[in-house]
Amino acid sequence: MVQEAGVTIDMTDIASVTLNGDKTVASIGAGASWLDVYLYLDGLGVAVAGGRNAAVGVGGLTLGGGISYFAPREGWACDNVVNFEIVLASGAIVNANATARPDLWRALKGGSNNFGIVTRFDLQTFPQGGLWGGALSQSIDSSDEVFEAFANIASAPEYDPYASLVTGLTFNSTNQQWVISHLATYTKPVADPPVFEELLAIEPQLSNTLGFTNLSTLTNEPGLPVPLNALFYTATYGVSATLLAKILDISNETFYSINPQVPGGILWSLAFEPLPKQVTGFGPLKGGNSLGTTPADGNGVVLLLSAFWPSTSANAFVQQTAQTVMQKANEAARDMGMLHKFVYLNYANQAQNPILSYGRENVASLKAAAMKYDPRGVFQRQVPGGFKLPV
């Protein structure tokens, strides 16, 4: 597609999904969605570590690291790429893996779109049957109990490798109400697993769809009802119920104060996700990645602050409000000694610099790979989207 300022390359037709003969590697076109992948793999007895939303694309999630339901079992999604097929700035189509261009292979695991156009991801599979999961909603009045239960799950010295949890707190500025909702998943067909016992015991439950399911059904959630403007912001913290409560208080005070100033209102969300040290330990075992996370960081929590709103006239105001909330949340975490350096690229705001958070050595390796495989800086200077390597 040729536009006034350049060329847009539409990858959606490069969306094939195939398995090799012994079903150990799934080859996935870069234009595929995770729903395409799961619909193909469901029933074949294998899965891959991929996205938790059916509509998300394979390429972006994987190149940014990628959190999956299987992260405690398999690591980041990018850790499971055994080969990238990529078109370099020179036009050459090459493979990057453990034996061919291993520096590029490692750089692409978290380095985003800074090195070329990836056209195929070859992902390691693993045996997988049914699983148990769904959505659970609870009252905001139960927030203290929910935070305690969440912290107990996320801080476990031996995190249950089959457990995946996203705890979201949503504020609707139209009715000025908060609701707590969880996406709880157990990647074995075990109902009401003990890891979620404390969370499930909290009453009242406003809704509960937990049950036996498969990946394609679980991830195929309904989207937002109408096209909306959207914003993401993120940070990573140590695990503390007290800190989560402080972040809620900061957000509540801020959102109530700005509500009358936004035409059409805003839907705000705080989503907390465990980042156990088991996840970050897989990188070195699978050839390394560029993310800079290690088990030495300890168990953590990734926060995704998001906002959705209909009026473009409020864009700058919403951005500033989100920055204020994140600044105050990070200050609270810093005061408690719980602010981690890692900024998850796939959740990052344009005002953030996630690649810089990977650490000096990883940034240096990424720059070296970019200089080697894109010496003219095509993907640094002529591709406007995404996060570029720090200058």
Side-chain angles (χ1 to χ4, degrees):
M1 181 186 303
V2 179
Q3 297 184 345
E4 183 178 345
V7 176
T8 297
I9 301 175
D10 186 345
M11 306 289 286
T12 53
D13 286 340
I14 307 176
S16 64
V17 183
T18 60
L19 273 177
N20 66 350
D22 59 3
K23 299 197 294 188
T24 58
V25 175
S27 294
I28 304 166
S33 71
W34 289 108
L35 182 59
D36 297 327
V37 177
Y38 299 146
L39 285 172
Y40 182 87
L41 297 180
D42 274 351
L44 297 178
V46 295
V48 294
R52 295 164 298 177
N53 184 301
V56 169
V58 170
L61 179 126
T62 308
L63 293 174
I67 302 175
S68 79
Y69 294 120
F70 306 101
R73 289 168 51 186
E74 303 294 335
W76 298 98
C78 67
D79 290 331
N80 295 277
V81 180
V82 296
N83 181 72
F84 297 93
E85 181 186 78
I86 180 171
V87 182
L88 301 178
S90 66
I93 302 173
V94 303
N95 290 291
N97 51 56
T99 56
R101 303 171 189 85
D103 52 346
L104 180 58
W105 178 53
R106 186 179 183 278
L108 289 167
K109 297 190 213 177
S112 195
N113 66 341
N114 287 294
F115 309 96
I117 301 173
V118 177
T119 52
R120 194 186 75 236
F121 298 81
D122 297 333
L123 285 168
Q124 190 77 46
T125 67
F126 48 86
Q128 179 63 39
L131 44 80
W132 180 89
L136 169 68
S137 297
Q138 294 167 322
S139 168
I140 193 62
D141 295 334
S142 302
S143 61
D144 287 342
E145 294 174 88
V146 167
F147 291 150
E148 285 292 340
F150 178 95
N152 289 337
I153 293 169
S155 64
E158 296 298 328
Y159 187 91
D160 189 324
Y162 297 96
S164 172
L165 178 64
V166 180
T167 291
L169 294 90
T170 303
F171 178 77
N172 187 328
S173 70
T174 302
N175 59 22
Q176 299 192 26
Q177 297 292 318
W178 285 92
V179 173
I180 299 174
S181 59
H182 312 274
L183 178 59
T185 307
Y186 204 69
T187 60
K188 288 171 68 176
V190 176
D192 302 322
V195 66
F196 295 134
E197 182 178 0
E198 183 180 0
L199 192 66
L200 294 173
I202 298 170
E203 297 289 349
Q205 294 185 3
L206 306 182
S207 64
N208 186 333
T209 66
L210 294 165
F212 296 110
T213 185
N214 58 28
L215 272 177
S216 59
T217 301
L218 183 65
T219 57
N220 198 16
E221 304 168 334
L224 293 166
V226 294
L228 297 174
N229 303 289
L231 170 148
F232 284 2
Y233 232 114
T234 190
T236 306
Y237 307 120
V239 182
S240 165
T242 300
L243 177 58
L244 301 187
K246 286 184 178 182
I247 294 171
L248 173 58
D249 289 343
I250 289 166
S251 303
N252 188 55
E253 179 180 348
T254 305
F255 299 158
Y256 267 100
S257 69
I258 60 103
N259 177 59
Q261 303 180 42
V262 179
I266 312 172
L267 186 67
W268 292 96
S269 173
L270 303 168
F272 298 104
E273 307 178 29
L275 181 61
K277 58 187 178 182
Q278 283 91 328
V279 174
T280 61
F282 280 99
L285 302 176
K286 297 185 176 184
N289 61 45
S290 300
L291 301 171
T293 56
T294 72
D297 300 328
N299 291 331
V301 176
V302 175
L303 166 63
L304 168 61
L305 167 65
S306 54
F308 305 92
W309 67 101
S311 174
T312 56
S313 65
N315 287 10
F317 184 74
V318 175
Q319 172 72 19
Q320 182 57 54
T321 302
Q323 285 182 292
T324 298
V325 170
M326 290 302 302
Q327 180 180 355
K328 291 181 177 180
N330 289 347
E331 288 173 355
R334 187 180 293 110
D335 290 344
M336 297 175 65
M338 290 195 168
L339 180 61
H340 290 194
K341 64 180 177 62
F342 177 65
V343 176
Y344 179 40
L345 186 146
N346 289 342
Y347 289 172
N349 185 269
Q350 66 265 27
Q352 298 184 278
N353 194 335
I355 293 177
L356 190 63
S357 78
Y358 295 175
R360 184 179 302 174
E361 290 185 7
N362 284 309
V363 170
S365 295
L366 290 169
K367 287 183 175 180
M371 181 62 68
K372 180 177 178 180
Y373 295 102
D374 183 15
R376 296 185 179 180
V378 170
F379 289 91
Q380 294 300 302
R381 301 188 184 97
Q382 294 178 249
V383 179
F387 294 96
K388 300 309 170 190
L389 302 181
V391 177

